[in-house]
Amino acid sequence: MTVIASAGVRRRAPVSMGACLASFAVFWVAQRAADVSMIDLMVYRAEGATVRAGGDLYALRTTTARLPTTYPPFAALLFTPLTLLDTAAMRTLGTAGNLALFVAFVRLSLRLVGHARVESVWWVAAFAVWCEPVWTTLRYGQINLLLAVLVLWDLSRRPGDRWAGVGIGLAAAVKLTPALFAVFLLVTGVVARHRHGSGGPWLRHARVAAGSFAGATLLAAALLPYDSWRFWTRMVFAAGRVGHAEDTANQALRGVLARLLHTPEPGAVWIATAAVMAVTGLGVAVAAELGGERAWAVTACAVTALLVSPVSWSHHWVWCVPVALLLATRAYRATALGTLLVFCSYALWWVPHGPGRHELHQNGIELMLSAGYAGAGCLFLVIAGISLGNPGPRQAVTKE
């Protein structure tokens, strides 16, 4: 029977891989036909060039859109190799690299939910590459998939692994949002110690994440002292530099509330809502982790980070992939299908947007269309909380 099963895997794997490569090829052609700008990749390159030239990183305005630098200085250090490539080569390598990272992200997501069949990675990647967050990530040449892979790789380490925490720390040093995963580990460890007298694995994991973040940040401070001082004393608090809160692409709670209240800055309402969501989402994640449900814990933490961040552009929601996979493998198939429809519909772009700040004048239907990701995220946290109260049988790891 084992021989027969192995032969079946050998037959299915080339078919699934071929389907994935064909989908990727069509995707690549479609991106080129759409004349994608890869504008964020151009910004990254300009940041690297500014570092090499010794310029003022946070005075930079680049591309026709006059985009500023918004990431911590450590990210700019990582972008310096981009200056060695011409534009065409950089775009080609950027697209190929993101597609490779996407396959790794799908593999890690399937492993997280307990489904490790090799051919499943290719089938899922072939379909999921077309969802809006992934399309837009590659359209802009964004680094979302790199950060997500770092986090998932980190959280798939065995307990006690000396590298556990490094991925989260480095991801947070590049972009602050992943730091919530370190907070999640810290809170889990503190609660475990209070309840059971031992939270060592989580606390150790959190310490390594914090140490890795601090090490990368101090390295940037040593090499870029002026830029580091400016970022950590001023720019880190300037959420408006990223873009208008009400932009339809902003799928964080702040964006939804700005559109709902027809105001460019929801202020105290957002702060209160985000605080409640942060406590609730982290509570669900910690309870899931302590209950042995790592998949629910990780995805709940990721969704919480996306909801409470001042700005979560639509391409940040690549975490919809493990969310949908988790729902599908835990008998929430109807909800998983609905989640896929939300993230594959591109509905947030159906509303008036662009210059003129049309999003401040949306009607009821437009408000619903432009709140899809945040709504799906809130629904997922509700389901995650319910699943903890009624866990049922856990999903076994399946592999051939």
Side-chain angles (χ1 to χ4, degrees):
M1 291 297 292
T2 302
V3 173
I4 295 174
S6 298
V9 171
R10 286 196 297 269
R11 286 194 300 269
R12 293 195 299 268
V15 173
S16 58
M17 182 185 295
C20 182
L21 293 177
S23 178
F24 281 9
V26 174
F27 180 92
W28 196 315
V29 170
Q31 289 252 319
R32 293 298 173 266
D35 194 25
V36 295
S37 64
M38 302 192 78
I39 191 169
D40 287 342
L41 187 60
M42 303 301 293
V43 173
Y44 301 157
R45 186 186 190 194
E47 291 180 22
T50 301
V51 168
R52 293 188 64 185
D56 187 340
L57 190 59
Y58 294 100
L60 174 68
R61 292 280 177 167
T62 188
T63 72
T64 57
R66 305 289 295 165
L67 295 176
T69 302
T70 59
Y71 295 169
F74 180 68
L77 290 177
L78 299 183
F79 296 148
T80 53
L82 295 176
T83 61
L84 304 177
L85 302 171
D86 60 39
T87 301
M90 182 180 66
R91 290 187 175 193
T92 298
L93 288 175
T95 301
N98 260 330
L99 288 173
L101 283 168
F102 183 61
V103 173
F105 181 54
V106 170
R107 181 173 180 78
L108 288 167
S109 298
L110 284 166
R111 183 186 300 173
L112 178 71
V113 303
H115 190 91
R117 288 178 179 167
V118 175
E119 68 270 17
S120 297
V121 175
W122 299 112
W123 286 120
V124 171
F127 173 79
V129 74
W130 294 94
C131 70
E132 191 275 339
V134 179
W135 169 275
T136 309
T137 288
L138 272 80
R139 171 190 175 189
Y140 293 149
Q142 260 283 343
I143 59 171
N144 308 305
L145 290 168
L146 172 61
L147 301 182
V149 165
L150 280 173
V151 170
L152 276 186
W153 172 85
D154 194 314
L155 291 168
S156 65
R157 300 299 86 203
R158 296 188 186 93
D161 189 316
R162 63 177 180 173
W163 295 103
V166 173
I168 291 173
L170 291 178
V174 173
K175 194 172 184 178
L176 295 178
T177 309
L180 191 65
F181 287 96
V183 175
F184 150 70
L185 291 168
L186 175 62
V187 174
T188 303
V190 170
V191 173
R193 173 169 289 182
H194 176 73
R195 290 182 181 177
H196 311 296
S198 175
W202 295 287
L203 293 175
R204 183 166 53 251
H205 202 156
R207 283 197 301 269
V208 174
S212 301
F213 169 80
T217 301
L218 289 174
L219 173 64
L223 298 176
L224 303 170
Y226 176 70
D227 293 321
S228 295
W229 174 258
R230 286 197 70 195
F231 179 82
W232 293 109
T233 61
R234 181 180 173 188
M235 300 305 170
V236 70
F237 305 108
R241 282 171 53 84
V242 181
H244 297 308
E246 76 277 3
D247 282 355
T248 191
N250 184 9
Q251 292 295 301
L253 289 174
R254 179 167 170 257
V256 173
L257 289 171
R259 294 186 290 270
L260 179 65
L261 300 175
H262 306 295
T263 176
E265 183 48 68
V269 176
W270 166 65
I271 293 174
T273 304
V276 171
M277 183 60 67
V279 172
T280 303
L282 276 177
V284 170
V286 170
E289 179 71 6
L290 292 175
E293 294 286 353
R294 171 58 65 92
W296 286 108
V298 172
T299 48
C301 185
V303 168
T304 301
L306 291 166
L307 289 172
V308 304
S309 175
V311 174
S312 291
W313 300 128
S314 67
H315 51 78
H316 295 165
W317 285 82
V318 292
W319 285 93
C320 67
V321 174
V323 165
L325 289 172
L326 178 61
L327 291 170
T329 56
R330 296 303 192 273
Y332 293 100
R333 292 195 175 93
T335 307
L337 179 59
T339 300
L340 288 174
L341 290 175
V342 168
F343 287 99
C344 293
S345 68
Y346 294 68
L348 76 163
W349 300 112
W350 300 355
V351 305
H353 60 277
R357 308 187 75 169
H358 304 287
E359 292 95 334
L360 290 175
H361 310 286
Q362 290 183 349
N363 58 36
I365 294 177
E366 290 168 345
L367 286 170
M368 290 179 61
L369 291 174
S370 64
Y373 293 8
C378 290
L379 177 61
F380 174 76
L381 289 180
V382 170
I383 293 173
I386 293 173
S387 73
L388 297 178
N390 183 27
R394 294 182 187 175
Q395 178 77 13
V397 175
T398 55
K399 57 185 176 181
E400 295 181 5

